[in-house]
Amino acid sequence: MAETGATELPPTPPPHSPVTRAERFVWLTARVLEQRRFAHHFRGGAADPVETALDAYRNEDGGYGHALEPDLRGPVSQPLHTAHALRVLDAVGRCAGQRVERVCRYLTCVSTADGALPAIHPSQRDYPTAPFVPVVDDPPSDLLATGPVVGLLHRNEVWHAWLFRATDFCWRAVESLEKSHPYEIEAAVTFLDSAPDRPRAEAAADRLGRLVREHRLAALDPDDLDAYPVAPGYAPGEHHFPYDYARTPRSLARAWFTDDEMARSLDHLAAQQQEDGGWPVRWRHWAPAPALEARPLVTIEALRVLSAYGRAVD
């Protein structure tokens, strides 16, 4: 029997929401750009501060550098940095105007003979670079670099002469894929999601979806990851999931997966939030600063994917 007059325990406070936990993580670890992006996407912040923060990475040639993509250190402009910048501008509705005109002039200058982009321009050779990113003197055109840039420019109805040959390259590259790896497939999806020829894009996406399932490039059962091979050169455990390909329900890649497969992948993504509020970086760690700078990027993208699918994050 309880003692008379015993003090009742206070109710247990509700757990912090994923966004609240992530916000503390971002303030503790993130660059100014990611702080501004977080504020814009999850706290009603304006787009202007995001653009201002992004300007710190822009070079006179119209491209972006200064380790905007954390695995490429140094000041020089690179296609991968510039693709990153376009993703930021697209996400805040500012992928237009003179800023993007300057980007297209830079893309024209660094294009290969067939009008597409190399993954890494040789100017990176003098600066620290992730060991899994090769720097060569005469780099070939690369779908990984070109697809996302072309897709984002089409998505924002940018019209520039550079896009003609680059778009043709992307079609040839996507439609000839027989073997691939997850990051290349993601690049192809970004292109196809906004390519102007929608019937052709839908047909190409349908073929890629069959390739992804045939080659087990998406881990469909997060509880049995041993059943899914990791691509050669990837870090141990660097699996890719349905949400990595279909980052929004509107993506053509969404049709590749059943509702149950997508739901389980989103459950897995939500469960990956760590005690400090951030999400883990799945690719290889090669130096402290790139790993530290990448985690806020990954964290923001995880929250954006969950939000796009209507998962409660706040």
Side-chain angles (χ1 to χ4, degrees):
M1 176 179 275
E3 294 183 12
T4 304
T7 303
E8 293 185 5
L9 294 174
T12 302
H16 292 304
S17 72
V19 164
T20 300
R21 293 167 58 201
E23 184 171 31
R24 174 175 171 78
F25 172 76
V26 165
W27 283 115
L28 281 172
T29 65
R31 306 178 295 192
V32 172
L33 176 58
E34 281 70 56
Q35 293 172 13
R36 296 298 197 183
R37 289 185 63 204
F38 185 94
H40 173 78
H41 290 302
F42 304 108
R43 293 299 186 234
D48 284 350
V50 178
E51 280 196 279
T52 300
L54 184 62
D55 276 343
Y57 299 89
R58 184 163 57 87
N59 288 320
E60 291 299 318
D61 60 9
Y64 289 78
H66 306 279
L68 178 58
E69 189 67 35
D71 283 329
L72 304 180
R73 315 306 289 182
V76 294
S77 296
Q78 287 291 331
L80 293 180
H81 292 314
T82 304
H84 189 129
L86 289 174
R87 287 195 298 273
V88 172
L89 293 170
D90 173 69
V92 299
R94 297 292 177 86
C95 194
Q98 291 186 354
R99 182 189 304 275
V100 176
E101 284 291 323
R102 290 193 296 267
V103 166
C104 288
R105 287 198 294 270
Y106 162 74
L107 298 174
T108 303
C109 291
V110 298
S111 290
T112 59
D114 55 7
L117 296 173
I120 306 293
H121 190 271
S123 58
Q124 185 65 32
R125 185 179 300 282
D126 294 331
Y127 300 97
T129 306
F132 47 82
V133 180
V135 181
V136 298
D137 289 333
D138 187 19
S141 299
D142 195 319
L143 178 61
L144 188 67
T146 311
V149 170
V150 173
L152 287 169
L153 292 176
H154 281 310
R155 171 185 167 91
N156 288 277
E157 299 182 344
V158 173
W159 197 247
H160 190 276
W162 177 80
L163 272 171
F164 287 99
R165 295 180 68 203
T167 299
D168 287 342
F169 166 81
C170 288
W171 280 124
R172 291 194 303 272
V174 169
E175 292 176 335
S176 64
L177 283 178
E178 297 297 336
K179 289 187 177 181
S180 188
H181 59 92
Y183 290 120
E184 187 174 53
I185 297 292
E186 289 176 27
V189 169
T190 304
F191 167 69
L192 294 173
D193 276 346
S194 299
D197 188 339
R198 299 313 299 154
R200 187 177 181 182
E202 290 166 6
D206 183 66
R207 190 182 74 84
L208 281 188
R210 293 196 299 272
L211 184 152
V212 164
R213 297 187 75 94
E214 178 183 349
H215 293 276
R216 303 176 72 80
L217 298 181
L220 302 179
D221 183 359
D223 295 326
D224 187 20
L225 293 180
D226 289 340
Y228 300 90
V230 173
Y234 284 32
E238 192 178 352
H239 293 94
H240 286 242
F241 300 88
Y243 63 76
D244 286 306
Y245 302 105
R247 292 188 169 272
T248 76
R250 299 181 301 278
S251 173
L252 291 173
R254 176 61 186 87
W256 300 352
F257 309 107
T258 68
D259 290 348
D260 181 62
E261 288 167 348
M262 182 59 68
R264 278 187 290 171
S265 82
L266 293 169
D267 289 344
H268 178 73
L269 177 61
Q272 290 300 297
Q273 188 173 24
Q274 299 186 332
E275 188 174 347
D276 62 6
W279 267 260
V281 173
R282 295 184 310 212
W283 57 86
R284 291 186 184 276
H285 298 187
W286 62 281
L292 178 66
E293 292 172 358
R295 281 196 70 206
L297 297 171
V298 171
T299 296
I300 290 170
E301 289 309 307
L303 290 172
R304 292 187 68 212
V305 168
L306 292 169
S307 296
Y309 280 93
R311 295 296 185 105
V313 295
D314 206 350

